[in-house]
Amino acid sequence: MHQKEESLQNTLMKLKLHLSVHAGKQLTYDELASIAGVGSRSFGEWMRGTTVPPGMLALLRLMSLLPQDELSSILSNWKQEEVKTLVSTTPPRKKRNGKTSRRSNSK
């Protein structure tokens, strides 16, 4: 395994740990893949260091050049936009009382 694969694998393992703590349970690769919007097989390969998505490495490299406060601001803005996208693309569903509501797909 090359250094970049090990570095990405270590970063993903730390993310898995922190996300599991926030979720209050040990998250599986399948659950993390679903949250990330990728296939389980691809995610498992990333976690094992078998493959390295070039786009992810490029983004991490760029983000690593920023000071912590700027990075935090960028991630906060992205998170807000991501939530807006999830809410706007989630189809309404009927409640038992016949009224329409949106599903909550929060991450």
Side-chain angles (χ1 to χ4, degrees), residues 41-76:
R41 183 176 177 177
S42 293
F43 193 84
E45 289 175 357
W46 300 346
M47 293 296 289
R48 289 186 299 278
T50 308
T51 60
V52 177
M56 187 185 301
L57 284 178
L59 183 59
L60 288 170
R61 280 188 197 113
L62 291 172
M63 292 171 68
S64 70
L65 298 173
L66 295 173
Q68 185 67 38
D69 60 332
E70 291 177 25
L71 179 59
S72 181
S73 175
I74 288 170
L75 288 173
S76 179

Side-chain angles (χ1 to χ4, degrees), residues 17-36:
L17 174 65
H18 287 278
L19 289 170
S20 292
V21 168
H22 286 283
K25 68 174 193 156
Q26 184 68 32
L27 295 172
T28 66
Y29 286 2
D30 287 343
E31 290 169 320
L32 290 166
S34 177
I35 292 167

